[in-house]
Structures are given as structure tokens and as C-alpha cells.
Amino acid sequence: MGKQPVTEPFMIEKLNEAKVHFERALDCKHTEFDDLYPYMIEHPQFFWYKRYVAWSELLTIAGLCEELSFEWKEQFTPQQVEYIEKRVMSSTVLDFWYEKNDSIEPAQR
């Protein structure tokens, strides 16, 4: 695979993939993380850890978009942008990520 330039469309695509990954983890749906660590499904802490990994990925890519001055915030509701900017995955984030978010559906993949 050749080098791909870090363009705004490329980063926004990666950001949207990270958003879907996080939302699938929130919804307890299958993600590639399940394939990497199939034995963890048997452990109660698995879903917390899976969400933490997806949240970290989302924060990392959003942070890179911010540093590169890419317009990333329009991919999220104002409430979700606030959660991302605070950087802490609290129970509020887990409970209200979709709250008042009728126009954007949870991850469908």
C-alpha cells in the first residue's frame, strides 16, 4: 500500500470510522476488537474496556483533526463535541451520547 496524504477528507473518514466503532461499543455490538480478543467476552470488564479503547481512538483522531485545523465538529452534535472536548468518558457520556440526537442514528453496521 502506498503512502496516502493526510488530507481533510481522509481524516474525516477515519474520524467517522472511529465514531461508528465507539457507538457500536456503546451499543454492545460486534467490533473488530471482539475479533482481536475473543476470550475477553467471557469477562465482565470486557465491555468497559472495549468502550474505553473505542473512546481513546475517537479522542485521538479528533485531536489530530483539531491540530491539523480540520473541520471535525460537524460530524457530531454540540453535546457530543462537548464530551469529546472534555476528554473524560464518564457515565454521562455513556448514558447520554445519543440523547436529543434524533437526526443521527446509532451505528448500523
Side-chain angles (χ1 to χ4, degrees), residues 61-73:
I61 297 174
L64 287 169
C65 288
E66 185 72 28
E67 275 189 58
L68 295 167
S69 300
F70 293 158
E71 297 295 325
W72 64 272
K73 294 178 183 180

Side-chain angles (χ1 to χ4, degrees), residues 14-68:
K14 295 302 172 189
L15 180 67
N16 282 319
E17 289 172 6
K19 181 182 179 189
V20 167
H21 184 208
F22 177 66
E23 290 177 348
R24 289 188 62 80
L26 273 181
D27 298 339
C28 297
K29 292 184 178 178
H30 185 85
T31 69
E32 69 180 43
F33 190 78
D34 298 287
D35 297 333
L36 293 171
Y37 302 101
Y39 61 90
M40 285 191 67
I41 293 172
E42 301 167 10
H43 301 285
Q45 72 273 20
F46 171 73
F47 290 107
W48 174 254
Y49 187 69
K50 179 177 166 176
R51 290 172 181 161
Y52 173 78
V53 168
W55 179 247
S56 296
E57 175 186 27
L58 182 61
L59 291 181
T60 299
I61 297 174
L64 287 169
C65 288
E66 185 72 28
E67 275 189 58
L68 295 167

Side-chain angles (χ1 to χ4, degrees), residues 61-93:
I61 297 174
L64 287 169
C65 288
E66 185 72 28
E67 275 189 58
L68 295 167
S69 300
F70 293 158
E71 297 295 325
W72 64 272
K73 294 178 183 180
E74 61 194 36
Q75 308 302 315
F76 301 91
T77 67
Q79 180 176 307
Q80 291 169 340
V81 169
E82 185 178 323
Y83 295 150
I84 292 168
E85 288 176 337
K86 287 183 181 175
R87 303 189 55 82
V88 176
M89 185 177 66
S90 64
S91 60
T92 303
V93 173

